[in-house]
Amino acid sequence: MSDAAKSRIEFHLQQIAECVGFERFTIPVVSRETVFGVYESGRNPQHVIEFVGKHLGHDVSGIQVRVGLPQAPAAGGGCCGGGTCDGPGELPSRYDAATRSITLDTQIDSDPPMGIAALIHGVVSDLLSQHNFAGAHLPERVELAVVGTGLGMIRNCISLVAKQPTFWDSTQWELIPRPFLDCHSLAYTNAIVAWARGESTPDWTKQLPSDLRRPMQKSLKFLTRTNDSFFQPRAKRPLLSQSPSEWWQLAASPSVSGQVIAIRHLQSDNTLSKEHESLLLDKLRSANTTITLNAIAAVERIASHQPAIASGAVVGELRLLTEHRDDEVRAKSMCVLTKFGLLNDATIETAAGMLEDQQKHLIFAGVYALSTIDGVPEEVVASLDRCFVRVLRACDYEFIELIVATYRRWLDDPQSHFEQLLSGSPEHLPIAMETLHATPDQLVPLRRGA
């Protein structure tokens, strides 16, 4: 598990536990055989719902089960007990919080593992909804609650996600929620399940598929040895309502996930104190990329409310980070400097170099930065020309408007420039012209560079 993913899982588990109660995360893990036995005894979905409700200590008397019209199967379905191995799949059910109803899109007997997993997912969704949990509609958060409360043994043997979609900015937890848990996240969550219950070698791990069992056991050994987790349900300690000063204190802790989560909560309503500035600089300079990325995000968040904070040593460090070895750090620091109008000659030169890269987020960061500059040297225009031609050839339309707006800012006659640049590409020239006539003068808030 990456530190970013580990921190995200621990944070969301803490959110869920503070909402529905820590005690639900220390009850025994239910075996597959037990749950299947409950269904097989009468082949009645209601029996499963009642069993899950009793396990959770949750009143399920108001939950209704319906069988709806079959939904079109996901591509590649039927793998690993009904899931899909070529992308995000789905459980054959829907939960409606308004009516407290679980609608099954298939008969349970046609695929018992998927059907029973769908029922469990629905009951846990109801638990979260009844406690007004804000993420009750997000599949991954429900799955974290399912596994965390000891109800994940059936889900563990169903592959719903072979490969998670990736996003260049790994700090955007809330803006880009994941679908279902992938293999690595599922393995780590199971490790926390065992560790939270004080089980160093739990028997139920023998039921896990081998691709889950090995990383789960490795993570469990790490947790048992270090106790390094922001989420510690046995302590039953609410952490998300801490005061601003407590978050600053936690940001200095040795725990990586504790630091990451604390950094995400840092705020400053007044002038940044020397102590807090020193801590923020320390995080920006961290050898841990995840800590550095979240520190950049913290600077952006704090400066949005207190622009004066983004000055002096902090800005100097952000400018240095545009030359970082990690592409995400380079792009993110460049975007923050651009947002607050803090570019200088060196960062403008760096931004121009990003146009020659193959990584889309670096190209975006470079174009975004340059789009805020009134004028640039001729060689930078040439770099943008090469970038524009590549973008047109790749039909990468999401960049075309931003690049055209940049030309309009730099050039008195961008139309003539396009005619000359694309004279040998008759198929691309109309796209450039159409975009030029449709694009406003400014696509992003502009401030002169420092």
Side-chain angles (χ1 to χ4, degrees):
M1 286 294 292
S2 68
D3 288 324
K6 177 178 180 292
S7 303
R8 178 176 54 82
I9 287 172
E10 293 171 12
F11 174 72
H12 290 317
L13 283 171
Q14 181 74 19
Q15 278 186 317
I16 297 166
E18 290 193 20
C19 183
V20 304
F22 289 97
E23 65 281 355
R24 290 188 166 99
F25 288 80
T26 55
I27 49 184
V29 174
V30 180
S31 69
R32 284 169 51 88
E33 290 76 11
T34 298
V35 181
F36 277 124
V38 170
Y39 176 70
E40 292 292 340
S41 65
R43 294 187 177 275
N44 187 339
Q46 203 63 41
H47 291 170
V48 176
I49 290 174
E50 292 169 359
F51 173 82
V52 173
K54 183 177 179 180
H55 174 81
L56 293 172
H58 174 55
D59 181 7
V60 296
S61 59
I63 299 178
Q64 306 174 58
V65 179
R66 303 169 179 170
V67 178
L69 294 174
Q71 303 291 304
C79 170
C80 306
T84 169
C85 283
D86 35 356
E90 59 184 19
L91 289 167
S93 66
R94 288 155 285 150
Y95 170 75
D96 186 337
T99 59
R100 294 190 72 190
S101 62
I102 301 170
T103 302
L104 297 176
D105 297 324
T106 183
Q107 295 290 338
I108 294 179
D109 290 342
S110 66
D111 191 340
M114 284 291 281
I116 296 173
L119 284 175
I120 293 172
H121 189 94
V123 175
V124 174
S125 294
D126 184 76
L127 170 72
L128 297 175
S129 295
Q130 292 298 305
H131 283 78
N132 299 313
F133 180 64
H137 62 292
L138 299 173
E140 186 197 53
R141 311 290 164 80
V142 179
E143 286 206 314
L144 284 171
V146 167
V147 180
T149 56
L151 291 164
M153 291 308 297
I154 293 179
R155 167 64 183 94
N156 285 327
C157 296
I158 298 173
S159 177
L160 290 174
V161 179
K163 183 179 181 181
Q164 283 277 13
T166 56
F167 306 97
W168 79 265
D169 190 351
S170 62
T171 68
Q172 300 296 313
W173 294 355
E174 302 299 334
L175 294 181
I176 314 172
R178 275 61 173 177
F180 291 88
L181 294 170
D182 64 5
C183 181
H184 296 296
S185 299
L186 199 53
Y188 186 68
T189 306
N190 274 282
I192 288 185
V193 165
W195 171 75
R197 289 160 175 77
E199 300 175 338
S200 57
T201 55
D203 289 338
W204 52 263
T205 59
K206 298 174 184 176
Q207 300 178 15
L208 296 176
S210 59
D211 61 339
L212 283 184
R213 185 168 60 252
R214 287 191 293 270
M216 179 270 179
Q217 290 173 335
K218 184 176 180 179
S219 294
L220 179 56
K221 288 180 181 178
F222 167 80
L223 289 167
T224 302
R225 184 181 74 254
T226 65
N227 286 318
D228 184 1
S229 171
F230 178 78
F231 177 58
Q232 305 210 17
R234 281 181 289 175
K236 298 182 178 180
R237 182 187 170 195
L239 296 173
L240 303 182
S241 58
Q242 294 186 97
S243 67
S245 62
E246 288 175 315
W247 284 119
W248 281 99
Q249 291 172 14
L250 182 59
S253 72
S255 167
V256 172
S257 56
Q259 289 183 60
V260 169
I261 294 166
I263 290 168
R264 295 176 65 87
H265 287 81
L266 296 182
Q267 53 183 290
S268 180
D269 296 329
N270 303 304
T271 303
L272 200 65
S273 69
K274 289 294 184 182
E275 181 183 2
H276 289 172
E277 181 184 66
S278 176
L279 186 144
L280 204 51
L281 286 168
D282 180 64
K283 302 310 172 188
L284 289 171
R285 296 164 180 161
S286 174
N288 185 300
T289 301
T290 299
I291 291 175
T292 299
L293 286 166
N294 282 277
I296 296 170
V299 171
E300 180 179 16
R301 184 179 62 254
I302 294 172
S304 295
H305 302 287
Q306 296 289 333
I309 289 173
S311 61
V314 172
V315 172
E317 196 61 40
L318 287 177
R319 288 170 174 166
L320 289 175
L321 289 176
T322 61
E323 301 286 353
H324 197 273
R325 64 183 182 281
D326 183 87
D327 288 345
E328 186 180 347
V329 172
R330 292 170 60 201
K332 193 168 182 64
S333 54
M334 182 65 75
C335 287
V336 173
L337 288 168
T338 303
K339 179 177 179 179
F340 296 104
L342 298 170
L343 301 173
N344 61 3
D345 290 343
T347 49
I348 291 171
E349 183 178 346
T350 300
M354 289 178 172
L355 302 183
E356 308 289 348
D357 206 276
Q358 299 301 312
Q359 297 290 336
K360 288 180 66 173
H361 53 277
L362 280 174
I363 297 171
F364 170 80
V367 176
Y368 175 44
L370 295 172
S371 71
T372 66
I373 305 302
D374 287 328
V376 293
E378 199 62 39
E379 59 267 23
V380 177
V381 177
S383 293
L384 187 63
D385 287 344
R386 291 190 292 272
C387 178
F388 192 38
V389 170
R390 291 198 309 271
V391 165
L392 287 168
R393 287 175 178 170
C395 299
D396 215 337
Y397 295 107
E398 60 184 304
F399 281 123
I400 292 176
E401 284 191 359
L402 181 59
I403 293 176
V404 169
T406 304
Y407 278 119
R408 291 189 66 168
R409 186 175 179 85
W410 291 353
L411 306 176
D412 295 330
D413 187 6
Q415 179 169 327
S416 297
H417 185 80
F418 289 169
E419 290 171 347
Q420 181 178 357
L421 176 66
L422 302 172
S423 59
S425 304
E427 71 277 21
H428 296 139
L429 182 58
I431 299 173
M433 291 305 205
E434 181 181 350
T435 306
L436 177 63
H437 296 142
T439 301
D441 290 337
Q442 299 184 137
L443 285 179
V444 292
L446 304 177
R447 282 183 64 178
R448 294 189 60 91

